[in-house]
Amino acid sequence: GLKAVKTDDGNYTINKLTDVYLDGTGGNDSNSGADSSNAVLTLEHALKLVAENGVIYICGEVELTSSLTVSDVTIKRAEGYGGRLLETQGVRNGETPVDLTLRNVVIDGNRDVVITTDVGELLTVGRGSTVRLEAGTELKNNYTTAVYVNQASGDQPRGSLIIDGGKIAGNGTADGFVIENPDGEDWIYGSSGGGIYNSGYVEMISGEISGNTAEAGGGIHNNARGEILLSGGVIKDNTSLYNGGGIKTVSDSVTLDGASIINNKAKNGYG
């Protein structure tokens, strides 16, 4: 999708794209990536096309099928697309789980444009996969849960999310409590776990989970199969309609060993 351009001094340079479109279900890596109708298929190819300080717009769910370290890029939900953005391949039918490390990466749900109650996560961690959110990484502005961590099933191991300098902020229901049904009949409460919905394993070494909102578990919802270890970082300024402004847990497998949990609130129930 890139072309060599001759410069005034007779040399050639490659002009990369400010905006690259990525569609993991309908794209093709032989496409230019210049717009949604010419989207590429894989994140690896999109990374080759995008310019420094450019943006990769996802317009179709992307499943990562090989382990990858991504750095110094912005990934954003394309206007008009409401599905999940990224999922790491997990153990299913004999597949090998893949790992993902994000360094100085922004993943933006584009909630100012994509406003719907039926929207997918920014990232799903597959069974057996490990995702690391390192320094400078921020997952933000999604209209529902930012990260879903998969549970174990039979002999298939759980997914793992490691936060080591990363930030998950500003995800979940827009006004902090409810959004109105477009039909004008009822009120719809946001999903559980504005920042993270955990069915697997979450560990925070350093970093921040802040400003997220949900029906329950504004920062994190930890279900009956989930395990959390908080050895550093901060969980702050998250809000829920019911219990668990910062964390709501159904499991008793939550260990606090150095993290700060401050200024979270629940409209009805405990913060």
Side-chain angles (χ1 to χ4, degrees):
L2 297 178
K3 294 182 180 180
V5 178
K6 192 173 183 179
T7 61
D8 292 339
D9 59 7
N11 294 317
Y12 287 85
T13 185
I14 299 296
N15 286 341
K16 294 191 173 184
L17 302 175
T18 302
D19 298 334
V20 174
Y21 286 80
L22 170 60
D23 184 342
T25 58
N28 190 310
D29 280 347
S30 65
N31 289 340
S32 67
D35 53 46
S36 58
S37 60
N38 291 285
V40 298
L41 178 67
T42 65
L43 178 59
E44 291 90 337
H45 193 64
L47 290 167
K48 294 176 182 178
L49 298 178
V50 69
E52 185 178 357
N53 299 319
V55 178
I56 296 173
Y57 287 94
I58 294 183
C59 51
E61 180 180 340
V62 177
E63 182 179 24
L64 303 177
T65 57
S66 59
S67 294
L68 191 62
T69 295
V70 181
S71 59
D72 304 316
V73 71
T74 295
I75 298 170
K76 197 168 187 177
R77 184 186 301 279
E79 186 172 353
Y81 174 63
R84 180 187 295 121
L85 298 192
L86 300 171
E87 180 175 8
T88 58
Q89 176 178 279
V91 179
R92 283 186 293 218
N93 300 314
E95 297 168 329
T96 300
V98 305
D99 297 333
L100 175 66
T101 298
L102 302 176
R103 296 175 184 153
N104 196 33
V105 172
V106 174
I107 303 181
D108 188 338
N110 205 8
R111 67 186 300 159
D112 294 334
V113 173
V114 185
I115 302 174
T116 172
T117 59
D118 185 22
V119 68
E121 302 89 14
L122 299 178
L123 175 63
T124 292
V125 183
R127 291 182 180 134
S129 291
T130 297
V131 172
R132 296 184 63 90
L133 307 182
E134 297 188 348
T137 293
E138 184 173 5
L139 276 58
K140 66 178 186 177
N141 293 338
N142 202 39
Y143 219 94
T144 188
T145 301
V147 185
Y148 174 74
V149 185
N150 254 301
Q151 65 191 29
S153 178
D155 60 353
Q156 299 177 1
R158 65 192 180 183
S160 297
L161 175 69
I162 311 298
I163 304 171
D164 190 5
K167 182 177 181 179
I168 300 174
N171 304 283
T173 309
D175 63 6
F177 300 114
V178 292
I179 42 183
E180 192 171 1
N181 188 319
D183 296 331
E185 297 174 358
D186 301 307
W187 290 88
I188 302 172
Y189 300 111
S191 59
S192 295
I196 301 169
Y197 188 99
N198 181 44
S199 298
Y201 177 74
V202 171
E203 179 177 351
M204 186 159 67
I205 301 166
S206 63
E208 182 177 314
I209 299 171
S210 63
N212 303 285
T213 57
E215 182 175 354
I220 304 174
H221 180 97
N222 190 49
N223 77 7
R225 299 190 181 194
E227 179 182 357
I228 297 175
L229 170 60
L230 302 173
S231 58
V234 61
I235 298 173
K236 66 177 184 177
D237 302 327
N238 301 284
T239 305
S240 68
L241 178 66
Y242 297 116
N243 292 341
I247 303 172
K248 179 180 179 180
T249 185
V250 179
S251 162
D252 60 3
S253 297
V254 177
T255 301
L256 304 179
D257 186 22
S260 297
I261 302 176
I262 56 174
N263 201 36
N264 302 285
K265 61 183 179 180
K267 185 178 181 182
N268 300 306
Y270 299 98

